[in-house]
Structure formats: C-alpha cells, structure tokens
Amino acid sequence: MREDNVCKGILVPGLPHPLLCPEKNEGWQRIRDAYDKARIELEESGAEILVIYSTFWPSILGHQVQAYPEPEWTYVDEEFHDLGSIDYKFKMDPEFAELTATKCKERGLHARTVSYYGFPIDTGSIVALKLLNPDNRLPAIIVSSNMYANRAESIVLGKSIRDAIDASGKKAAAVVISALSNRLHTVEIDPKDDKIHSLKDHEWNLKFLEYLEKGRLEDVSQLSRQFHNEARVPKVVSFKPFWIMASIMGQNNLYDGNVLAYEPICGTGAAVVTLTPAEDTAGDLEYDEDDPEFYKGDREVLDFYDQPGMGPLEERDGD
Amino acid sequence: MSKGEIVMGALAPHPPHLVYAENPPQNEATSEGGWEELRWGYERLRDSLSEKDYDVIIVHTPHWATFVGTHFLGVEKFKSLSVDPIFPNLFRYNYDLTVDVELSKAIHDNAADSGLLVKMMENPDFRIDYGTITSCHLVNPKWDKPIVCISSNRSKFYFNSELMQANMIKLGEATRKAVEASGKRALLLSSNSLSHRHFTTEPEVPEDMSKEHVTNHNQYLWDMKMINLMKDGKTKEMIDLMPDFTEQTVAETEAGCLTWLMSALGFPDYKATVHAYGTVIGTGNAIIGWDPKKAKI
C-alpha cells in the first residue's frame, strides 16, 4: 500500500433501495452487502474524515460544502416516497468544511459553506452515510455538484479538496456518490425484473469497471466525456464524479481496485468500488487532457480573440 | 352539482428571492427588498384574482421532479420547514398547508384513464418542494385555500421535448375534466421561469439590484418572443415553438408546467395579461394571467 493522505476512494450508488428494501431484489441485496464490505475497508483504512461528493446534490452558485454540525431530519425521497421515510442524524466537520471552501477560493472557485437547520441533505448522501458510517464514527463533509461545471472547474475543485486534506493533516477517505449509467426505468417494474436499461449502458459500465478493477482511476477520469455521451441521460453538462475522485486522489493509476458489486437499481448501473493507493499497479498510462491548477472563469469559444498574442481580427476575410 | 371551472390560469415563477425580498414572517431569512418589478407584478396578479372566487389552487411544479410517471400529493396536511438546497441563505420557510386530496385523486384518475403513468404520494413525512411553496405564497400569502400539487415528469431527459409536451397536453386535459366534474372553481399555476441560465455567483448582498440583469441577450429575445405570442393569444404557436425555446435558453419550460397549463385552458386564443417580466440571478421570469372570461367577451 502506498502512503497517502487520501487513504481510500469509494464509489457508491445513491438510490435508496439498498438501504430501504434490499430484500426485494437479490442484486439490491448484493449492493447492500457490498456497502457493508466497503464500510469494513473504510474502518480499517485509518481514515479520520469522510469527504463526500454527491451528484445527487446539485448547486448553481459555485460549490457548496455542508457545514451544519449535526444535521437531523426525517427524509422522504421525492421519487421513491412509497419505500418509506429515513430518520437520520449525521456528524459534520464544520472546521474542515470551512477549510475546504477557503482552499476552493484560493484556486479561483466560487465556494461557500452552508450551515442551516433543516437543510435538505440529498438522498445519495443520506444512503452513503447511513451505510458506510452508521455510528457517525467519522466526521464528514458533503460537497455539492455544480450543474454547470465542466472538466476544468471540476478538476480544480478536486485539487482544492485535496489541498484542504493536506492542510488539515488528517487522513481522508473520498466517497463519490454516483450511478455509472443513469438511465432509470421510466415505468413501474417488479423489483425482481430489474435490469440495466440497455445492453449499451451495460457494456460501458463493464468497461469502466474493468479499468477500476485495475486501479486505472485517471484513465477512467479521462474517459468521462465519452462515458457521458454513451451511457448517461444528459441531465447535467458532464459526468463529473471521476474527475473529482481522481483529482482528490492524485490523478494517476496507482491504486488497488476492488469492485465489490455491480448490479442494476431501477435500470441504472450501480457499483460499489474501493480504490486503495498502491505502489505499482497499472502504472502511469498515457493522458491527454489538460491539467489546470487554477480556475479563471468560463472560457467562451470566442475568448481567444481578446488575447493580445492573437493580433486583431481582420475586418473581412483575407485572400 | 354545478359544473366546475378554471377561473384563471397563471404563469407564476418561483424564484425564492421574491419571497426573501418580501420578508414574510414564515421565512427565517431577512432582506432589504429587491426584484420589485416582479414582486409588484405578483401584486397585480393578486389584484386581478381579488375579483375571483375560487376554491383550490392547482400547481404544477418543476422542483418536484419525477421520472417514473407524474405524482400527486395525497395527504391532507403538511407542516414543516422548507430550506432551498440552492439558496439556503435566502429561503428557510415554515409552511402549513392543506391539500385537496379528493381533487388530486380525481386528476390522478383522469390522467390514468388517458394513458398516463401516475402515482399518489401518500407519505406524511414528505417535504413540499420550495417551488410550490414560493408560487403559492406569492399568489395567496394567506394560505387560505387548499392546493393540489403535481410533480413534473422529466420525460424530456429520457425522450425529448415533443414527447414531454404530448404527455403534458394529456395531463392538462385530464386536469380540466377533473375540475369540471368536481364542481369546484380552480386557479391553475404554472410554477416556472422562462429562460433559465443562471449566474453561477451571487453578489455579497443578494438583493443588490445593480448586479441583476438577464444572463444574455439571446435569452431576452427568446423570452420576448414567447411573451408576445402569449399577449397575442397565439398559444398554440407558442407551444409549437417550445422545444426550440427550451433548448436555446435552457428554459424551465422543460418541466412541462406551461404546456400543461395551456392545455388545461384549452390553448387560449385570447390575450394574456402580462403583469411583469424581470430577471432573477440572470433567469427570465414573467408573471402572466389568462382569464377565461375574456374568451367569452
């Protein structure tokens, strides 16, 4: 195992079925069991704090970090309300949340903490915290998913979170909450008949899982745009979870990957995967995406005309 | 029992900023004002409703997004705190509302009969979305009418705008039939903005109006195009343009609320009353009323 401040990365799905009714489908139960295995890995990892990035919590105004010390509520999912209510009480780390927001700002991002009684913690974070950290053994922060952010902003967000982890001196586990393919069945199904929505979604899920099993996190990160086009319902501009996870964990392929489960949940590709820093696994493979350090705002398509080095625009087409 | 009717339909957008700016006792956050053009527009809408007697408000809301069919509130009373997940600094609202479950179920049943996938939401712990609360508060701050709340089925994401519109037209017809059969007088609200590209930053003082403007000129032109069609009574043409409008301005019409409203009103060919147009963190918002009595004049 490679010594690293981020001692574990965990990918988990966020739909409530493994928490509320795992018994209704064998696959949902396997996801629940995988959550339990991931929890044990987490407990043995030496992590002192959980850093959660949830694709179930959209934000518009930059990046929000949950900082309310003990959020408590009885929660009902807006889609799957008939599965029942979820009582929760979690333990956040306000100081670390502030540090994360500060580090985001230092890299040019618009960020803030949110600390309000009754704030609606998202389904994915609730499910992940209930199953990975049931006794609130570890304090946590939750980071939102900005719906307009694309790769550069997401990479810088991940690096900012990493800055906060390094500055805190704490060992952290990065938990990313997301489906792989995200196409839900849009009709009621018998739980026993659940399956990945399409063969194409399934094949892309398997390709990502093959890479993750080999610890190739940065390669998965750099395939995110392709995955978004091939296997995602485009509710947001891009598929961000692996950009965030990779940039928090170090942008390389040096991990031991452990695919604990892969099953359909209401048609989506649900996987529980752990990544542990390793000395030499797949090694550094080839990368071709930009590696920004600071966020300088949205870059418009025509911005290059303003750059002095480009010279003035010709008033009309030349010869 | 006399035949029920829709006494008015309104485009009633839900930026929580407008509630924040009003400083009602239910909201924990306080402000120095802001967005007056839109708030005064809501005043004018309320004035126009003061002459109407109605029994129930039916609201179609983008912020209760469902993917497996359209859902309806099916519990009579809800009382809790709504905190906006995007703007928690502005909107932390204590609500206490009543649902007309009978009418809710009647619309649900009619929609099912017309082939739509529908579901009643019967979990008493359910938290009402802030869009519903904002639109209903701004139209009826006394909260003295029961509501029916309809989720927005996001078929646009899974299929396309055309299919979404086809479903919302069916849902609008089902709503009208249920209202007529109920003998009740209903106010219908389409709780959505028009163009919907937000700023991604917020001024230090959120109500600093020197910072407020539409995100881009394209959005403004499209908003005016749609509003002028409403003013001219060309709502079928407006609905035909809706897929392009939605795509070009990332409009909140993607949720189907406005298509549902136009269908329930029978695609008005009479002039709408525009009470206000203004922007909130860059998004285009119009407060517009359709009075079916005008169709009869």
Side-chain angles (χ1 to χ4, degrees), chain B residues 193-217:
Chain B
S193 300
L194 293 175
S195 64
H196 206 231
R197 184 53 162 96
H198 304 80
F199 301 143
T200 54
T201 59
E202 186 179 56
E204 192 171 339
V205 178
E207 59 268 38
D208 179 351
M209 289 296 98
S210 68
K211 303 290 196 298
E212 186 61 77
H213 59 84
V214 70
T215 299
N216 58 53
H217 189 52

Side-chain angles (χ1 to χ4, degrees), chain A residues 57-62 64 73-85 88 110 112 114 116-121 146-148 182-188 197 233-236 298, chain B residues 28 63-69 71 80-90 92 117-127 129 153 157-159 196-202 250 281:
Chain A
W57 179 15
S59 61
I60 290 170
L61 300 175
Q64 302 196 118
W73 203 258
T74 299
Y75 177 80
V76 178
D77 185 79
E78 64 180 4
E79 179 82 54
F80 302 105
H81 39 78
D82 53 346
L83 297 183
S85 309
Y88 70 77
H110 185 80
R112 66 182 181 190
V114 294
Y116 301 100
Y117 171 74
F119 185 92
I121 307 271
N146 183 289
M147 59 186 290
Y148 295 122
N182 67 339
R183 186 171 285 273
L184 283 161
H185 296 303
T186 53
V187 296
E188 296 280 359
H197 198 282
V233 176
K235 290 184 273 191
V236 290
D298 292 335
Chain B
E28 292 174 3
H63 284 281
W64 181 12
T66 54
F67 297 95
V68 188
H71 300 205
S80 188
L81 172 69
S82 172
V83 179
D84 185 329
I86 310 287
F87 306 104
N89 51 326
L90 309 183
R92 303 185 301 280
L117 184 60
V118 288
K119 191 176 206 173
M120 294 299 290
M121 199 305 297
E122 294 171 328
N123 188 325
D125 296 325
F126 189 78
R127 185 143 61 162
D129 70 282
N153 176 256
F157 290 133
Y158 283 79
F159 299 98
H196 206 231
R197 184 53 162 96
H198 304 80
F199 301 143
T200 54
T201 59
E202 186 179 56
V250 286
I281 59 160

Side-chain angles (χ1 to χ4, degrees), chain A:
Chain A
M1 181 178 161
R2 176 165 50 90
E3 192 61 31
D4 197 304
N5 288 339
V6 183
C7 55
K8 188 70 73 176
I10 305 176
L11 168 72
V12 289
L15 291 176
H17 305 68
L19 175 68
L20 291 174
C21 56
E23 72 285 354
K24 289 186 177 176
N25 174 288
E26 290 179 1
W28 302 351
Q29 183 63 59
R30 284 192 283 273
I31 292 288
R32 173 64 175 264
D33 296 343
Y35 252 113
D36 292 342
K37 290 175 190 164
R39 174 177 54 76
I40 292 167
E41 276 195 42
L42 178 64
E43 287 170 0
E44 294 172 349
S45 72
E48 298 164 284
I49 188 164
L50 286 178
V51 176
I52 293 175
Y53 174 81
S54 177
T55 58
F56 286 60
W57 179 15
S59 61
I60 290 170
L61 300 175
H63 309 277
Q64 302 196 118
V65 188
Q66 181 57 245
Y68 195 75
E70 291 192 329
E72 184 173 11
W73 203 258
T74 299
Y75 177 80
V76 178
D77 185 79
E78 64 180 4
E79 179 82 54
F80 302 105
H81 39 78
D82 53 346
L83 297 183
S85 309
I86 307 171
D87 292 320
Y88 70 77
K89 184 174 185 179
F90 299 133
K91 185 169 76 176
M92 296 292 131
D93 186 333
E95 193 179 335
F96 188 77
E98 286 295 341
L99 179 61
T100 301
T102 300
K103 292 298 179 185
C104 286
K105 290 172 194 165
E106 286 176 5
R107 284 186 182 263
L109 297 171
H110 185 80
R112 66 182 181 190
T113 56
V114 294
S115 181
Y116 301 100
Y117 171 74
F119 185 92
I121 307 271
D122 63 279
T123 302
S125 296
I126 293 169
V127 171
L129 282 166
K130 293 281 281 188
L131 294 179
L132 290 176
N133 194 35
D135 303 321
N136 291 316
R137 191 178 63 83
L138 300 177
I141 64 163
I142 307 169
V143 181
S144 70
S145 179
N146 183 289
M147 59 186 290
Y148 295 122
N150 216 313
R151 183 175 179 276
E153 191 170 351
S154 301
I155 294 291
V156 174
L157 173 62
K159 289 182 177 180
S160 305
I161 295 169
R162 175 64 187 226
D163 290 346
I165 293 168
D166 290 344
S168 74
K170 292 178 180 173
K171 294 276 186 192
V175 178
V176 167
I177 302 166
S178 176
L180 293 174
S181 64
N182 67 339
R183 186 171 285 273
L184 283 161
H185 296 303
T186 53
V187 296
E188 296 280 359
I189 58 157
D190 186 324
K192 295 185 187 67
D193 298 331
D194 201 359
K195 62 183 179 65
I196 301 292
H197 198 282
S198 72
L199 181 59
K200 186 183 177 194
D201 284 358
H202 179 56
E203 288 175 345
W204 272 98
N205 293 339
L206 291 179
K207 177 54 71 181
F208 258 43
L209 291 170
E210 179 189 331
Y211 279 27
L212 288 169
E213 183 92 62
K214 292 175 180 170
R216 294 172 62 176
L217 176 58
E218 180 60 16
D219 286 344
V220 165
S221 166
Q222 301 216 8
L223 277 171
S224 291
R225 291 186 207 275
Q226 184 74 14
F227 191 84
H228 187 66
N229 290 333
E230 303 286 358
R232 299 282 296 182
V233 176
K235 290 184 273 191
V236 290
V237 296
S238 53
F239 182 52
K240 298 185 261 291
F242 291 106
W243 291 338
I244 299 290
M245 193 177 203
S247 55
I248 293 175
M249 295 190 71
Q251 292 176 289
N252 57 56
N253 289 323
L254 300 172
Y255 305 97
D256 282 328
N258 193 2
V259 177
L260 295 169
Y262 164 61
E263 301 287 345
I265 299 182
C266 297
T268 66
V272 178
V273 180
T274 60
L275 292 163
T276 308
E279 290 298 340
D280 185 17
T281 55
D284 280 349
L285 301 182
E286 57 187 79
Y287 313 134
D288 57 6
E289 291 265 23
D290 191 15
D291 183 22
E293 295 294 337
F294 295 92
Y295 186 62
K296 295 173 181 171
D298 292 335
R299 286 176 292 181
E300 302 294 342
V301 174
L302 299 179
D303 274 357
F304 71 91
Y305 287 144
D306 298 329
Q307 295 176 8
M310 297 299 292
L313 279 175
E314 293 180 25
E315 290 187 2
R316 59 185 177 189
D317 292 343
D319 293 334

